[in-house]
Amino acid sequence: MRKKKAPLADTLTTARLKVAGLRPTRQRIALARLLFGRGNRHVSAESLYDESVKAGVPVSLATIYNTLHQFTRAGLLQQIVLEPGRNYFDTNTGEHQHFYSEDDGALFDIPGDVISVSGVPEPPRGMAVDRVEVVVRLKRA
Amino acid sequence: MRKKKAPLADTLTTARLKVAGLRPTRQRIALARLLFGRGNRHVSAESLYDESVKAGVPVSLATIYNTLHQFTRAGLLQQIVLEPGRNYFDTNTGEHQHFYSEDDGALFDIPGDVISVSGVPEPPRGMAVDRVEVVVRLKRA
DNA sequence: ATTTGTGCAAATCGTTTGCATCTGA
DNA sequence: TCAGATGCAAACGATTTGCACAAAT
């Protein structure tokens, strides 16, 4: 008996997960499609959870957290820390920076080639620079 | 009857608090002395609480939180967000940046004139740049 | 069949809040 | 005196954990 035919998007997502060393389960496939479906996105665990529920994808919050962390470890997502007590994830894993509005929490990407940072000093012995993070914090004019 | 003579350091601290519009209470004076006593410091609510207890200053954790926020509002401290779920405060309120070791949580100042950031784009309509925050994240070499 | 992932609920962590009591001017 | 500050304990929100069950290889 032949396997049931899966939509092309799922096949691609599945391949992507396998490459990342993650077993392609229902939930991971569904979340990956929501996350990487179109364009760069910023999500929090809560926002992704809500979105999943609305999209009719039955996932528990615990699995959302697991998945976000696994994807991050696998290099599919990047974490952004903007305020204590809330964690954002960015589907854009390339080098880029952010505008962040303290007033309303809005978050925009700044393409990686726009801002340049110079003069970063030598890190202390035994340490290497992992990432230079730039957040441009905005306030109402 | 004459007032009991206060140590010079307390007098200075008291003056400083008054200037900031904060009533110089026992706790605020004690915490201010711990914070601004010598050199720049990075503290979390928990670390300052522990330190206070060890120094024999009886303060509640709630007061630590109140005080840190009041000092921040008064411009005596600057908040630093490095990881979700933990809030750091820096006694250096001038423009400067940070080295942050993801491995052990170590945090060092980078003087304000060392790193230069150029190419920050125009903020969206109605917004102004409040602060450009740079965190150099380190990993073990 | 075995390994790995998932869901649920309880537990944890940092932080905030409500309110009675205390303190500084 | 009395507005403002403090302490305590309970409340909170985001995240993590433990464990029984389910699904993928």
Side-chain angles (χ1 to χ4, degrees), chain B:
Chain B
M1 174 190 172
R2 283 178 78 254
K3 261 198 165 168
K4 195 154 12 160
K5 192 164 105 184
L8 176 60
D10 280 4
T11 307
L12 291 173
T13 305
T14 297
R16 194 165 183 180
L17 289 174
K18 276 185 178 154
V19 167
L22 295 169
R23 202 193 266 184
T25 64
R26 288 189 207 313
Q27 292 82 339
R28 295 215 266 237
I29 293 170
L31 293 176
R33 295 200 54 197
L34 285 177
L35 287 169
F36 310 117
R38 54 176 172 283
N40 288 329
R41 308 205 42 196
H42 303 118
V43 302
S44 66
E46 199 66 36
S47 78
L48 183 58
Y49 179 64
D50 291 349
E51 193 181 342
S52 304
V53 170
K54 277 189 198 103
V57 178
V59 198
S60 74
L61 195 48
T63 296
I64 297 275
Y65 278 102
N66 285 337
T67 304
L68 286 172
H69 289 145
Q70 290 153 355
F71 283 12
T72 302
R73 231 173 293 126
L76 267 38
L77 291 175
Q78 200 169 47
Q79 233 171 318
I80 329 171
V81 185
L82 297 166
E83 36 173 314
R86 194 174 222 84
N87 211 338
Y88 293 91
F89 296 85
D90 193 338
T91 59
N92 180 354
T93 57
E95 186 189 317
H96 69 287
Q97 286 76 226
H98 295 102
F99 271 132
Y100 180 65
S101 164
E102 316 254 31
D103 297 318
D104 55 13
L107 181 61
F108 313 97
D109 278 3
I110 301 173
D113 51 10
V114 172
I115 287 184
S116 88
V117 178
S118 61
V120 175
E122 270 307 300
R125 268 253 149 277
M127 297 273 115
V129 174
D130 178 36
R131 199 154 65 88
V132 178
E133 193 182 272
V134 179
V135 177
V136 181
R137 292 181 182 267
L138 303 175
K139 61 177 193 302
R140 236 181 293 282

Side-chain angles (χ1 to χ4, degrees), chain A residues 24 26 65 69 85-87:
Chain A
R26 291 190 203 312
Y65 277 103
H69 289 145
R86 193 173 222 87
N87 210 340

